[in-house]
Amino acid sequence: KYLFHLLKSSNFQNDKDKLCTGATQKAINNSNFEKLEIPLPNLATQQRIAAILDQADAIIQNNRAIVQKYDALTQSLFLEMFGDPVKNEKGWEKKEFSKVAINENSKRIPVKQSDRDEREGEYPYYGATGIIDTIDDYKFDGEYLLIAEDGKNLLFRKKNNAFMAYGKFWVNNHAHILSCNNICNLKYLEFFLNSIDLSPFISGIDQIKLNKASLDRIPVIVPPIELQNQFAERVAMIEAQKQQAQLELAKSEELFQSLLQRAFKGELN
């Protein structure tokens, strides 16, 4: 366990990276790997250090589980209030997506990487699945729903394909951008889209895409706006608690890394 933790430390990883070879895919061969040195205290000290690191890692896993429980709670709340969005057991009215939000795609302006490098700033620059950079200006100011327009994530969903953006920001042409028309709460729409299978509306094999025409024809169940707003308010309360849990998770991860560094240097008393 002592060795297991040390191999994950940034000091060891940095030493390993210096001995990696290869242009496109870095790797370390056996010969170079065997040249790496690690601090090797006596066995009793190794066991004591491993026990401390195990305890710190357990705190991380506990905090991570709490964050995941908040995610599960919001999804459970959606199902409790609105039912299965596909089966629609509660018989809510249905409308095409084009009727439940205002599409703002015409206001998007992509900025290539080389230009962004010269325009670093304080404003988030969004792509298909979230913030990918910052920039010195903004094109949107307010509360919007962003939806991935292309990319494999539309099928594999390692991240949410619909997500909220607040304040002043810029969006490239890889994400649809929607504003509210008072038929659907944007937070409700975010959860609705992340709860359904988008594959029937996706085109392409090598270049997977959810174009505007396909997005517009997605059927959306439309509960009373008052109920949607109530859902958004309850989610906001849960997300505030989740944010606090994420801060605790970040602190525990920082503590763990500090302990790793000290252990690697022989300073963990």
Side-chain angles (χ1 to χ4, degrees), residues 26 39 86 103 107 110 117 123-124 132-133 148 162 208 212 259 269:
K26 296 288 186 181
V86 177
N103 191 292
K107 299 178 183 178
D117 290 342
Y123 302 106
I132 60 172
D133 208 344
I208 298 169
K212 182 179 180 298
L259 292 172
N269 297 319

Side-chain angles (χ1 to χ4, degrees), residues 3-265:
L3 183 61
F4 169 75
H5 287 302
L6 278 182
L7 292 180
K8 295 194 298 182
S9 70
S10 59
N11 279 359
F12 179 85
Q13 292 298 322
N14 290 336
D15 290 344
K16 175 182 68 67
D17 290 345
K18 293 174 184 176
L19 297 176
C20 284
T21 57
T24 57
Q25 188 170 0
K26 296 288 186 181
I28 185 168
N29 57 37
N30 286 343
S31 177
N32 283 338
F33 191 80
E34 290 174 354
K35 294 177 183 178
L36 291 165
E37 295 183 349
I38 63 169
L40 196 63
N42 61 53
L43 188 58
T45 302
Q46 293 179 43
Q47 291 171 334
R48 180 177 58 81
I49 290 173
I52 294 172
L53 294 175
D54 277 349
Q55 291 178 44
D57 188 55
I59 295 172
I60 291 176
Q61 300 310 318
N62 181 64
N63 287 336
R64 188 167 291 145
I66 292 172
V67 171
Q68 291 171 347
K69 285 180 180 178
Y70 282 124
D71 288 333
L73 179 59
T74 52
Q75 190 60 36
S76 174
L77 177 64
F78 180 90
L79 293 174
E80 176 189 327
M81 294 182 69
F82 307 114
D84 186 301
V86 177
K87 296 178 181 178
N88 192 21
E89 310 101 321
K90 300 194 177 186
W92 304 118
E93 178 186 7
K94 284 188 177 183
K95 293 179 181 289
E96 287 193 339
F97 194 89
S98 61
K99 306 295 183 183
V100 301
I102 302 169
N103 191 292
E104 308 272 7
N105 284 3
S106 61
K107 299 178 183 178
R108 303 178 304 182
I109 301 178
V111 183
K112 60 184 180 181
Q113 180 69 62
S114 58
D115 291 338
R116 296 202 307 272
D117 290 342
E118 298 178 359
R119 297 183 57 182
E120 293 184 8
E122 61 180 297
Y123 302 106
Y125 182 88
Y126 283 91
T129 57
I131 297 171
I132 60 172
D133 208 344
T134 57
I135 199 166
D136 61 355
D137 200 0
Y138 62 92
K139 291 296 179 183
F140 297 92
D141 185 4
E143 180 177 293
Y144 295 86
L145 176 65
L146 274 57
I147 305 165
E149 182 171 353
D150 48 35
K152 293 182 179 180
N153 191 71
L154 283 165
L155 292 177
F156 300 117
R157 288 186 57 176
K158 292 185 177 179
K159 296 181 178 180
N160 284 334
N161 286 307
F163 52 96
M164 297 296 298
Y166 302 96
K168 298 174 179 178
F169 57 92
W170 197 299
V171 181
N172 67 16
N173 58 350
H174 295 289
H176 300 287
I177 180 162
L178 290 305
S179 59
C180 183
N181 65 357
N182 294 320
I183 293 176
C184 275
N185 184 293
L186 293 179
K187 196 67 180 175
Y188 165 79
L189 272 183
E190 175 192 5
F191 274 79
F192 174 84
L193 286 171
N194 288 328
S195 299
I196 64 172
D197 178 16
L198 296 175
S199 58
F201 307 96
I202 293 171
S203 59
I205 299 174
D206 296 325
Q207 293 185 335
I208 298 169
K209 195 171 184 69
L210 173 65
N211 59 40
K212 182 179 180 298
S214 295
L215 175 67
D216 283 347
R217 63 185 178 87
I218 294 176
V220 180
I221 61 171
V222 185
I225 188 66
E226 295 80 12
L227 193 63
Q228 296 180 42
N229 291 340
Q230 181 184 348
F231 169 75
E233 290 171 2
R234 294 174 69 178
V235 168
M237 295 173 61
I238 295 170
E239 289 186 341
Q241 293 173 310
K242 176 185 171 183
Q243 187 175 23
Q244 184 60 42
Q246 288 173 322
L247 289 174
E248 293 300 321
L249 174 59
K251 287 179 183 178
S252 60
E253 289 174 336
E254 184 179 345
L255 170 63
F256 184 76
Q257 288 302 320
S258 173
L259 292 172
L260 272 181
Q261 299 309 310
R262 289 161 59 188
F264 195 84
K265 295 177 182 178

